[in-house]
Amino acid sequence: MLKGKVVGNIVSTNKFDELRGYKFLEIQLIENKTLTDKYIIAVDRSISAGIGEEVLVVTGSSARVAVGDINSPVDAVVAGIIDKIQN
């Protein structure tokens, strides 16, 4: 799992039929409690994350399972919004 911060929405009118209805987010990755210069695009199927929120992201085959279709062309999915981190 990855941790990141939502920094933008991606609008794509032309895409695979399997991706219609999905919300796409640009996410800046966080490593060691610090924002990095790495970004990914992730599908937000039902979490409703917004810009500025920190999120958990699953990738690879876990992402396809999360959207409910192992044949879906999805590589990253928002799995949750981080409320707080306890140490």
Side-chain angles (χ1 to χ4, degrees):
M1 232 185 257
L2 303 172
K3 182 169 68 168
K5 183 176 184 177
V6 179
V7 295
N9 294 301
I10 303 293
V11 177
S12 174
T13 53
N14 227 355
K15 56 186 161 274
F16 286 121
D17 288 338
E18 296 87 358
L19 299 176
R20 298 209 183 277
Y22 289 171
K23 177 180 173 183
F24 296 93
L25 299 174
E26 182 176 25
I27 298 172
Q28 186 175 10
L29 297 180
I30 298 171
E31 294 176 0
N32 299 317
K33 301 181 183 179
T34 303
L35 287 169
T36 69
D37 60 351
K38 300 174 191 173
Y39 296 80
I40 60 170
I41 306 302
V43 167
D44 183 345
R45 188 164 168 232
S46 59
I47 302 298
S48 298
I51 293 174
E53 291 187 293
E54 290 188 2
V55 294
L56 298 172
V57 178
V58 294
T59 59
S61 61
S62 296
R64 290 185 290 281
V65 169
V67 297
D69 180 1
I70 61 170
N71 296 312
S72 179
V74 172
D75 188 48
V77 174
V78 174
I81 297 172
I82 298 172
D83 295 321
K84 67 179 181 175
I85 298 174
Q86 295 181 350
N87 294 331

